[in-house]
Amino acid sequence: MNKSVKEKHIPGETGIWVFVLGDMFIFGLFFVTFAYYRSLDLALFQQSQLKLNQNWGALNTVLLLTSSWFVVIGMSAVRKNLRSMSRACLSLAWLCGFGFGVVKFFEYGEKINHGITLTTNDFFMYYYIFTGIHFLHLIIGLCVLAYLIVRLGKNKPLSEDLPLLEGGATYWHMVDLLWIVLFSILYLIK
Amino acid sequence: MKSIFLQTNTAIWALLALATTLSWYMGSDAALNIPAAMLLIAFFKTRLVIMHFMEVNHAPVGLRLICEAWGIVCCAALIVLYLPS
């Protein structure tokens, strides 16, 4: 194991990296687009930002970071052939991810109840579109994690499923890292 | 089993949580709300996730360079666009 870690290794199939890097590039364009339009109407963006609850955003960041950490521990367990441990870790990761979804659901509900929608202004248009696309990624990630948890329950040798598990883990970490930037630019930086 | 939790990545998770707390605090305090510093913290966090959680620090140099370039270009572009404020 130590030997293979020291060797150069791409986790998962190469295809997942094409997808992940493509997604990161697209989100990179989202971040820059947001920052550009913000610079054109700074007052509107700053006033609108004050209506976001940054505590919800912070809680969601911690939930996704913790979820990612459980996936990392789960992958270590897979490599050590600890099946039930890896299943437990991925299940906890799923729960943290689901928690993110629940918080987001309440956050969207709170905004809509206050009459804040996609058409309120440019800031909220970007807020709903970017967090909405991210939310879609989260739902796909939760389905992938659920599939991996079921897969770990079967009596197949763990080594056979390693590329699949690594690919799913890589995707889930990407969901986490994109949120880190979204949280900073949408909620925190005034 | 304990050894699984006692790994570098657990310290990385703690560092990420600490950096999140710091940026959350900076976000709530007008005097500390410095865009460039907060963007550097955000992209430092994404780099930790990419290099450690996604295991890119063990990947071939090509993938590593692409990931580093993504962080540097995005962070630099955002810092420039946030300069007027």
Side-chain angles (χ1 to χ4, degrees):
Chain A
M1 184 58 227
N2 283 339
K3 187 169 175 264
S4 69
V5 166
K6 279 173 193 162
E7 286 166 4
K8 298 295 176 199
H9 167 70
I10 296 183
E13 306 284 352
T14 310
I16 188 73
W17 280 97
V18 174
F19 176 77
V20 162
L21 292 172
D23 238 18
M24 283 166 65
F25 177 75
I26 290 166
F27 267 85
L29 292 178
F30 287 173
F31 304 149
V32 171
T33 304
F34 173 84
Y36 174 71
Y37 284 100
R38 173 190 173 273
S39 70
L40 298 183
D41 200 346
L42 197 56
L44 173 87
F45 275 62
Q46 285 174 332
Q47 280 165 16
S48 304
Q49 239 178 339
L50 295 175
K51 291 176 184 159
L52 292 185
N53 185 336
Q54 72 173 41
N55 296 337
W56 286 129
L59 173 63
N60 265 349
T61 307
V62 173
L63 279 171
L64 275 194
L65 287 173
T66 307
S67 181
S68 259
W69 175 68
F70 277 128
V71 167
V72 169
I73 301 295
M75 289 309 298
S76 298
V78 166
R79 285 163 184 157
K80 290 187 174 175
N81 216 24
L82 299 168
R83 185 183 296 275
S84 54
M85 174 81 180
S86 58
R87 261 196 115 194
C89 286
L90 289 201
S91 302
L92 288 168
W94 190 92
L95 276 177
C96 288
F98 184 75
F100 179 102
V102 171
V103 170
K104 210 85 204 92
F105 182 79
F106 279 110
E107 197 187 350
Y108 282 148
E110 192 182 71
K111 294 283 155 298
I112 292 164
N113 281 338
H114 284 92
I116 298 168
T117 63
L118 193 75
T119 53
T120 299
N121 61 35
D122 276 359
F123 173 84
F124 283 107
M125 179 187 75
Y126 287 120
Y127 165 77
Y128 277 112
I129 291 176
F130 294 165
T131 59
I133 293 172
H134 181 267
F135 193 69
L136 193 66
H137 281 70
L138 179 101
I139 290 168
I140 294 167
L142 286 175
C143 294
V144 170
L145 281 182
Y147 174 71
L148 296 180
I149 293 163
V150 171
R151 190 105 178 173
L152 281 169
K154 294 181 179 168
N155 267 334
K156 284 183 71 179
L158 289 178
S159 56
E160 270 183 32
D161 275 345
L162 192 59
L164 181 78
L165 289 158
E166 284 180 342
T170 299
Y171 175 83
W172 191 246
H173 296 314
M174 179 201 71
V175 173
D176 181 17
L177 84 89
L178 295 177
W179 177 256
I180 289 172
V181 184
L182 283 177
F183 171 54
S184 292
I185 63 173
L186 290 173
Y187 293 76
L188 295 181
I189 305 172
K190 309 293 190 301
Chain B
M1 199 171 280
K2 262 188 192 169
S3 65
I4 284 192
F5 288 96
L6 295 174
Q7 54 169 281
T8 312
N9 284 320
T10 299
I12 298 294
W13 170 80
L15 185 58
L16 284 164
L18 195 70
T20 302
T21 310
L22 175 66
S23 51
W24 169 77
Y25 185 73
M26 290 171 85
S28 356
D29 189 326
L32 292 173
N33 206 295
I34 308 156
M38 293 166 81
L39 285 166
L40 284 172
I41 293 173
F43 282 93
F44 169 69
K45 285 166 69 184
T46 62
R47 189 177 182 277
L48 287 178
V49 171
I50 292 170
M51 290 301 153
H52 296 276
F53 288 3
M54 293 167 99
E55 301 175 42
V56 172
N57 54 355
H58 297 300
V61 70
L63 179 59
R64 195 178 165 141
L65 283 177
I66 293 170
C67 290
E68 295 281 26
W70 178 83
I72 292 167
V73 170
C74 287
C75 188
L78 291 181
I79 287 176
V80 169
L81 286 164
Y82 273 78
L83 271 182
S85 68

